[in-house]
Amino acid sequence: MKRLALALIGAFALVAPAHADTCWTLVKTYPHDPAAFTEGLFYLDGALYESTGLEGQSEIRKVALRTGKIMQRRVIDRPYFGEGIVNWKDRLVSLTWRHGQGFVWTLADFAPVADFRYAGEGWGMTQDGHSLIMSDGTAQLRFLDPDSLTEQRRITVTWNGRPVDRLNELEYLKGEIWANIWYDTKIARIDPATGAVIDWVDVAPLRKAAGATGSEAVANGIAYDAKADRIFITGKNWPKLFEIRIDRQAATKCRRHEAASATGNPRRSAARPASHTPAPTGR
């Protein structure tokens, strides 16, 4: 099983985006539940909201940022595999992986309000203040009406004209959609109007700093505190959550450093793998 997962990682690495240009600085490190198979994450009013996956282990949680303590939780019963979550007004919307089933909860106490259906798989969620935005494991992002939860439109995410699939956990940040890429340490910064990838943020050093060594301990979890301009990054079963700051003023220096250290090989573009086989224990 583990060998299969490692083989999948190796296969995906062949089509991963190469260089990440967006520079960042580590600001602070916080504790994170190492048992949390993180599938969704957002920040609101001083707390993190997190969804975890795996059948029989899926939950929606409200978590204290500084301590990592779970302040509130809602178990997602079998057979559902919890996926992305997002807030809208006084509600929380959640997805499940392969059942085409979404749920609506009260944000205050996670009491069930409604459910809804969608075609295909459910992966990540975010919102831009007008629409909910959903990923499904392909190169497409769906925009949903936040009240009726019906689809409004789609965009295809591309890099150098080629589709970027395996879009996973999402966060809307300063007019961009940030997306984890399943089995990759690079985060795509996406133009929500065109789907074009603006740039990449490589969080490989954070995965190493977290001590994440398992084949499924991938980077997956982006949250943004708009009031304080803080970006939070974590992953599946990571014992740490990180606050980073984007160094926009240092961008030119960062690119020059990459150019000087490059081997001369042209950039590889992200493309769709030949097959999309889930990891052994879950997505």
Side-chain angles (χ1 to χ4, degrees):
M1 297 286 278
K2 186 174 181 180
R3 289 180 180 177
L4 174 60
L6 292 173
L8 286 169
I9 295 172
F12 289 152
L14 296 177
V15 294
H19 302 297
D21 286 340
T22 301
C23 297
W24 54 266
T25 299
L26 177 62
V27 177
K28 198 167 185 179
T29 302
Y30 303 90
H32 180 252
D33 181 4
F37 198 79
T38 305
E39 295 290 1
L41 190 72
F42 67 85
Y43 177 92
L44 183 67
D45 297 334
L48 290 166
Y49 290 78
E50 182 173 22
S51 64
T52 65
L54 302 176
E55 290 185 18
Q57 300 180 43
S58 295
E59 294 183 348
I60 296 171
R61 303 171 169 182
K62 182 177 182 180
V63 180
L65 171 63
R66 295 189 180 279
T67 64
K69 180 181 178 181
I70 300 172
M71 304 162 63
Q72 187 173 302
R73 73 201 319 158
R74 177 81 190 197
V75 173
I76 307 298
D77 294 329
R78 290 178 182 272
Y80 298 114
F81 185 118
E83 286 285 350
I85 56 172
V86 68
N87 63 300
W88 182 257
K89 297 179 180 177
D90 61 348
R91 298 184 177 185
L92 184 149
V93 181
S94 71
L95 302 175
T96 61
W97 181 20
R98 286 178 156 176
H99 286 85
Q101 182 70 63
F103 298 100
V104 182
W105 318 87
T106 59
L107 186 61
D109 58 7
F110 301 160
V113 174
D115 56 59
F116 63 101
R117 301 288 299 175
Y118 49 85
E121 297 182 358
W123 286 43
M125 287 200 92
T126 190
Q127 54 114 327
D128 61 4
H130 305 283
S131 304
L132 306 189
I133 306 168
M134 167 185 169
S135 65
D136 59 12
T138 69
Q140 292 195 325
L141 294 177
R142 311 179 194 186
F143 290 71
L144 309 180
D145 181 282
D147 296 312
S148 67
L149 299 172
T150 56
E151 187 174 329
Q152 299 171 315
R153 66 185 179 97
R154 297 189 184 201
I155 58 172
T156 299
V157 177
T158 60
W159 170 246
N160 289 343
R162 303 180 67 183
V164 179
D165 69 354
R166 295 180 281 118
L167 301 172
N168 206 348
E169 216 275 317
L170 305 175
E171 183 66 26
Y172 190 80
L173 198 164
K174 295 185 177 181
E176 303 173 358
I177 302 169
W178 284 30
N180 286 115
I181 310 297
W182 186 42
Y183 275 127
D184 205 304
T185 58
K186 298 172 186 66
I187 294 171
R189 294 173 49 200
I190 302 163
D191 182 332
T194 66
V197 173
I198 301 164
D199 212 344
W200 301 94
V201 182
D202 192 354
V203 296
L206 298 182
R207 185 178 188 274
K208 182 177 181 181
T213 57
S215 61
E216 293 183 61
V218 297
N220 202 46
I222 312 164
Y224 181 54
D225 173 8
K227 291 181 180 179
D229 192 21
R230 297 187 295 176
I231 303 169
F232 303 104
I233 304 291
T234 192
K236 298 180 181 182
N237 302 129
W238 288 17
K240 298 177 183 179
L241 177 140
F242 303 94
E243 178 186 337
I244 66 169
R245 180 180 63 249
I246 296 302
D247 295 334
R248 299 186 186 277
Q249 293 181 349
T252 302
K253 181 179 180 181
C254 179
R255 288 182 174 87
R256 286 174 178 170
H257 174 74
E258 282 195 351
S261 61
T263 61
N265 293 328
R267 284 188 172 203
R268 294 172 292 166
S269 296
R272 185 180 302 277
S275 63
H276 183 183
T277 305
T281 61
R283 220 251 334 118

